[in-house]
Amino acid sequence: MTIDKLVAGQEVTLEIIIVDSSFEFKTEVVGTNNGTGVLVKPYMYNGQVVDFKNGSPQGMSFLLHCIDPNTKGRVVWRNLSVNVVNFKGVDYYAIDARAFGKIAASSERREDGRVSVKTPGSALMEDGRRFSISVLDISDSGISFIGNSYRVTIGDIVEINFADNANSSDFSLAVKARIVRAEAEERGILYAGKVLERDNKLLAYLCFKGMDKKQS
């Protein structure tokens, strides 16, 4: 399967890699791009198209994943360029493959890279109880934090609330997670949770934190 075989309406996943972190979002093909790639619906944040080329750090790379409709296997295009183009008044991502037509037969999903947070926050239990925590790190699939409460057990669902700044933007996040690990240590109880809901705000925060790390 070559990239020009993607058709309008097909679901694809655009993966953005910054340093050792990887973030991805699902999007949809809307057409081809001059025979070398495809046009897809862009990533929106606060009603605006995120232009990865505008002020982005060097070294950012892009991959495009999809399910091959013939083999039902997951395939990937690597070393892509992603630019915002306007067609009939609508912005899209123009995705071009530098090594046109060369793809992996299959694509293994990598572990999501965590970004360091290290900021205070709070955890809200389902019964309304809330306690103070320190958020350590987060990805779009997991989060870890430290608290001094023994009231949380494995399997509990908590909402992690914290505020931070990334790429000159202020974020106030509420992340729902299911607790999968709890260990006592000197600073308190170390909790690890599986993120249950990924929204655009979380994905934008992760992406922008990755940009900050690359620029530092």
Side-chain angles (χ1 to χ4, degrees), residues 61-115:
S61 60
F62 302 93
L63 296 83
L64 190 69
H65 303 266
C66 80
I67 301 298
D68 187 326
N70 295 317
T71 66
K72 307 303 180 184
R74 189 169 186 264
V75 296
V76 60
W77 288 268
R78 305 179 186 277
N79 300 317
L80 304 173
S81 64
V82 178
N83 296 284
V84 176
V85 297
N86 188 278
F87 180 68
K88 294 184 178 180
V90 180
D91 287 333
Y92 299 103
Y93 285 158
I95 299 179
D96 289 294
R98 296 188 180 95
F100 178 66
K102 295 181 179 180
I103 62 172
S106 63
S107 170
E108 295 296 330
R109 300 187 70 90
R110 53 175 278 175
E111 291 296 321
D112 295 316
R114 296 275 180 115
V115 296

Side-chain angles (χ1 to χ4, degrees), residues 1 5 97 127 163:
M1 181 182 183
K5 299 301 182 183
D127 61 7

Side-chain angles (χ1 to χ4, degrees), residues 30-51:
V30 296
T32 58
N33 181 36
N34 295 326
T36 62
V38 291
L39 297 177
V40 304
K41 293 181 179 179
Y43 178 48
M44 306 290 292
Y45 180 68
N46 282 345
Q48 300 292 321
V49 172
V50 175
D51 185 351

Side-chain angles (χ1 to χ4, degrees), residues 24-35:
E24 59 183 48
F25 73 97
K26 294 185 183 301
T27 183
E28 181 182 319
V29 174
V30 296
T32 58
N33 181 36
N34 295 326

